[in-house]
Amino acid sequence: MPPYPVHPTPTTLHLPLRGRGAAADARHAARGFLDPPLGGGTPFPAPALDAALLVISELVTNAVRHADGACALDLSLGSDGVDIEVTDGSSEEPRARGPDQQGEGGWGWHLVNRISTDVEIRHHHGPAGGKTIHAHVARGSLGG
């Protein structure tokens, strides 16, 4: 038995975000949450961690760009991977558009759908409206 109290590794993270630095803040918090877990646990393999951070960055960037600038990131860690949810105040769904070869965007939604599974959009009804986009990144993503 260790001489100090053992605190279980948290399995969820909720992070309200706003503004231009939201994607960087989300990546920083997610990295701390997934690699390495403070209470022990198994860190994400590097390719899966990179995939999760990319999905988080794309979803948060789009939420800030296309909604009112505020969103929330929720992560839920499971034995098989991480569930990522980004909630914003816009009811508009993401649209896949042709990627711009000159660097003007269009890659994000394609990437989210390519490197994650269980991608779904849940609309919130009522006066506030908005939506939550859910994606799952498996521990074995991209060969991890």
Side-chain angles (χ1 to χ4, degrees):
M1 179 135 176
Y4 51 86
V6 176
H7 300 285
T9 302
T11 58
T12 61
L13 171 74
H14 174 77
L15 184 64
L17 297 160
R18 175 174 283 285
R20 295 178 68 203
D25 293 343
R27 284 189 308 273
H28 179 76
R31 182 179 295 280
F33 178 72
L34 296 170
D35 180 54
L38 293 176
T42 306
F44 257 49
L49 177 63
D50 290 344
L53 294 175
L54 180 58
V55 169
I56 289 165
S57 187
E58 290 297 337
L59 292 177
V60 169
T61 297
N62 286 341
V64 169
R65 181 177 293 152
H66 300 293
D68 67 358
C71 64
L73 170 67
D74 288 281
L75 301 178
S76 181
L77 189 58
S79 61
D80 67 330
V82 63
D83 288 301
I84 301 164
E85 293 191 337
V86 175
T87 301
D88 65 47
S90 171
S91 295
E92 214 171 296
E93 292 195 9
R95 290 180 295 120
R97 58 187 179 112
D100 186 308
Q101 301 298 324
Q102 313 317 326
E104 296 298 318
W107 298 93
W109 191 236
H110 295 286
L111 287 170
V112 167
N113 283 280
R114 175 83 173 154
I115 63 177
S116 57
T117 61
D118 304 327
V119 177
E120 69 175 331
I121 302 166
R122 293 189 314 269
H123 291 275
H124 305 285
H125 303 288
K131 67 181 173 303
T132 297
I133 298 177
H134 172 269
H136 179 81
V137 174
R139 284 186 180 273
S141 290
L142 305 174

